[in-house]
Amino acid sequence: MNITRNPELVESFHYDLNNPENELETNIAVEIVPIDMSEQEDFPQDTSCVLGLRVVYQIVYEAFVLTGAVRQPVIVNDRIITEPSELTQEEVSELMQPLFSIIKRMTYEVTEIALDQPGVELNFSSTAEPMTEETEA
């Protein structure tokens, strides 16, 4: 895929000690939303599209819980995508990789400082299914 990436943005990142009584579960939501560019006269909407990428997460460990969200707009050149279902799993992984890298890096750094030991290294599998605005609620 021919992608032009805009800068990633960390919407939130939060580290909390975990209270096992809370019975929290790990939850990671991948969102891919096509962005309407019809009002942008200089955008080649007949050959390209813009996608809003977002990962919202709650990662639960026995000692702590991480919550947050990261996002990034991307331009997909020479292809028009109107629904996330038009993407293969490999394409979703390629699109989302920078966002998962940021989550991994922040987790490692924060847990290294907070726990005064080597940081926690996350390992995300590539089985996440994209969510649309309708399914995220």
Side-chain angles (χ1 to χ4, degrees):
M1 241 187 331
N2 182 0
I3 304 167
T4 304
R5 294 183 181 274
N6 289 297
E8 301 94 347
L9 176 67
V10 177
E11 291 179 26
S12 64
F13 180 87
H14 200 75
Y15 170 96
D16 288 303
L17 291 177
N18 188 14
N19 180 350
E21 295 174 10
N22 291 338
E23 297 183 21
L24 299 173
E25 293 184 15
T26 293
N27 185 16
I28 300 170
V30 172
E31 302 170 6
I32 300 173
V33 179
I35 298 173
D36 180 13
M37 298 298 289
S38 61
E39 294 186 16
Q40 301 294 322
E41 293 179 15
D42 59 340
F43 185 79
Q45 60 188 14
D46 55 336
T47 59
S48 300
C49 67
V50 176
L51 299 175
L53 310 178
R54 189 169 183 237
V55 178
V56 179
Y57 57 91
Q58 175 174 280
I59 303 169
V60 180
Y61 280 84
E62 186 175 327
F64 61 90
V65 178
L66 301 170
T67 57
V70 293
R71 64 182 161 126
Q72 177 184 45
V74 298
I75 300 170
V76 179
N77 300 296
D78 305 319
R79 182 172 172 194
I80 297 173
I81 300 166
T82 58
E83 295 291 327
S85 61
E86 297 172 19
L87 296 164
T88 66
Q89 184 58 49
E90 292 79 23
E91 291 170 328
V92 171
S93 295
E94 178 184 355
L95 287 168
M96 304 310 286
Q97 186 276 332
L99 298 179
F100 283 112
S101 291
I102 287 175
I103 297 167
K104 287 179 184 182
R105 182 174 174 205
M106 289 187 304
T107 297
Y108 184 87
E109 298 291 334
V110 169
T111 57
E112 181 178 46
I113 294 166
L115 302 172
D116 195 25
Q117 61 188 30
V120 172
E121 294 188 33
L122 297 178
N123 182 16
F124 293 106
S125 68
S126 61
T127 59
E129 292 293 324
M131 297 182 70
T132 64
E133 286 182 310
E134 294 80 38
T135 59
E136 70 182 74

